[in-house]
């Protein structure tokens, strides 16, 4: 077992990202049952909904699973209380200061991981007491770091700076990519976009099919004056781009974004007016298949590549 497998008590150092509108209890439990670490994405859940998903996940798996919590969530204290009440053993935090809640979670025996987009943030996370960091390159889908550092550069940069284990994310959807991440110093990988194209993901079938049909160049970082987010190009994206090119300020962009734009696209399946958050690796995703099969495929290909690189085959 490597550092990440040992930390979480899992078979494979493969983490399924806690993505909004995609990562409910069905997906998280399927990945955990397959030997990885499944995460429930709390970012799109009201506190009572999160509680329901945690309880259903407990019923569906006896393996370790966790919850991803954006720290800027308006009801963050309620989410943390539910996590503690339900005795969730692993929490991935993002979009905020890890100093705020890491001591509380650690005092309850929770393993804490923070998502970062730079080595500077990785160092701050280590100082806050987290057990590991996810270093996420800007290839990743959804909300993204302002630095726009690629995974290929970010992983070794973070590994040089911190002593805690590093989980690589951003552009990883295969065993080949996992092997590359390990070559750069990572001890595990976090996979998001690939797990969207599964029957277990809670996102709309229209969105899943859009991911499968995406080609190179079909995603772009947008809304950089607010929080950068990687989206599939559609009518909403083009409207935002036109506004940004015209010099729209953050307030005007907030009006344009409105409310529930991500839900409209990813959960309700409106492919023109919705926000379709997905990573660049969508260009390499060609089918919808069960989460367990994806875990197996990634791990088996990873082992083959490692043997190839070692000259064993």
């Amino acid at each position: 077992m490597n550092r990440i497998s040992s930390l979480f008590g899992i078979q494979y150092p493969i983490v399924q990202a806690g993505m909004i509108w995609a990562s409910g209890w069905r997906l998280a439990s399927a990945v955990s049952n397959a030997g990885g670490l499944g995460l429930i994405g709390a970012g799109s859940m009201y506190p009572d909904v999160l509680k329901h998903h945690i309880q259903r996940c407990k019923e569906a798996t006896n393996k370790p699973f966790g919850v991803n919590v954006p720290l800027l969530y308006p009801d963050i204290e309620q989410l943390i209380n539910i996590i503690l009440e339900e005795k969730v053993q692993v929490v991935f935090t993002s979009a905020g200061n890890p100093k705020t809640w890491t001591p509380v979670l650690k005092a309850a025996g929770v393993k804490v991981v923070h998502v970062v987009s730079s080595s500077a943030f990785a160092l701050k996370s280590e100082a806050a007491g987290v057990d590991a960091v996810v270093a996420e390159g800007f290839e990743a889908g959804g909300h993204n770091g302002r630095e726009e550092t690629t995974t290929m550069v970010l992983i070794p940069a973070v590994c040089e700076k911190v002593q805690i284990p590093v989980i690589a994310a951003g552009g990883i959807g295969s065993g080949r990519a996992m092997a590359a991440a390990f070559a750069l110093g990572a001890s595990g990988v976090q996979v998001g976009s690939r797990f969207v194209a599964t029957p277990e993901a809670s996102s709309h079938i229209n969105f899943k099919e859009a991911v499968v049909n995406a080609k190179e160049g079909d995603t772009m970082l947008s809304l950089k004056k607010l929080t950068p987010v990687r989206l599939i190009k559609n009518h909403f994206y083009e409207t935002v781009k036109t506004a940004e090119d015209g010099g729209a300020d953050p307030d005007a962009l907030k009006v344009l974004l409105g409310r529930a734009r991500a839900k409209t696209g990813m959960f309700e399946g409106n492919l023109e007016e919705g926000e379709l958050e997905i990573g660049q690796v969508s260009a390499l995703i060609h089918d919808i298949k069960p989460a367990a099969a994806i875990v197996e495929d990634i791990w088996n290909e990873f082992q083959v590549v490692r043997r190839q690189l070692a000259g064993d085959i």
Side-chain angles (χ1 to χ4, degrees), residues 25-306:
W25 69 268
R26 288 182 179 85
L27 179 57
S29 62
V31 172
S32 290
N33 282 332
L37 181 71
L39 297 181
I40 296 170
S44 53
M45 297 180 180
Y46 291 115
D48 59 331
V49 175
L50 174 61
K51 186 171 185 176
H52 168 76
H53 278 265
I54 292 171
Q55 291 176 346
R56 291 301 302 271
C57 202
K58 286 179 181 176
E59 294 169 0
T61 184
N62 59 4
K63 303 288 184 65
F65 71 91
V67 174
N68 174 277
V69 182
L71 296 175
L72 297 181
Y73 189 94
D75 295 319
I76 180 65
E77 189 168 354
Q78 292 183 53
L79 294 186
I80 296 295
N81 287 338
I82 286 168
I83 286 167
L84 295 176
E85 288 168 8
E86 293 295 327
K87 295 181 168 48
V88 174
Q89 295 300 300
V90 180
V91 171
F92 280 49
T93 57
S94 59
N97 187 347
K99 288 183 180 179
T100 310
W101 289 104
T102 296
V104 175
L105 293 166
K106 293 288 292 178
V110 178
K111 299 287 194 304
V112 182
V113 182
H114 193 65
V115 181
V116 301
S117 58
S118 71
S119 53
F121 282 126
L123 281 167
K124 290 179 180 178
S125 300
E126 184 176 49
V130 303
D131 295 284
V133 291
V134 174
E136 184 178 78
F138 100 126
E139 299 96 322
H143 293 292
N144 226 301
R146 295 187 181 280
E147 300 85 359
E148 299 190 18
T149 306
T150 64
T151 302
M152 185 70 75
V153 174
L154 180 63
I155 301 310
V158 171
C159 289
E160 281 184 2
K161 296 292 185 181
V162 300
Q163 301 301 310
I164 54 177
V166 175
I167 300 168
I172 299 170
S174 66
R176 289 176 297 164
M178 182 175 176
F182 272 58
L184 295 172
S187 298
V189 292
Q190 178 174 280
V191 177
S193 299
R194 187 63 189 94
F195 284 117
V196 169
T198 60
E200 297 92 344
S202 52
S203 41
H204 198 282
I205 185 60
N206 291 354
F207 178 49
K208 296 177 186 182
E209 290 176 349
V211 171
V212 170
N213 292 327
K215 303 294 188 294
E216 293 172 61
D218 282 354
T219 72
M220 290 292 289
L221 276 186
S222 186
L223 295 166
K224 294 183 184 181
K225 291 182 180 178
L226 299 179
T227 301
V229 59
R230 182 171 294 283
L231 307 172
I232 292 177
K233 295 175 182 176
N234 63 355
H235 182 261
F236 168 67
Y237 164 80
E238 295 297 342
T239 302
V240 170
K241 185 178 186 301
T242 298
E244 290 180 324
D245 290 346
D249 62 18
D251 289 337
L253 291 173
K254 285 178 184 177
V255 172
L256 189 59
L257 178 61
R259 288 182 57 82
R261 185 72 71 169
K263 181 181 181 183
T264 298
M266 295 185 282
F267 192 68
E268 297 176 353
N270 187 329
L271 299 185
E272 288 306 317
E273 298 303 329
E275 193 177 43
L276 307 177
E277 302 181 11
I278 206 72
Q280 286 184 341
V281 74
S282 55
L284 302 175
I285 297 170
H286 306 306
D287 55 7
I288 296 172
K289 63 166 54 177
I294 290 172
V295 173
E296 183 178 6
D297 287 350
I298 290 173
W299 182 251
N300 288 342
E301 185 177 62
F302 171 68
Q303 297 288 10
V304 169
V305 172
R306 286 214 304 185

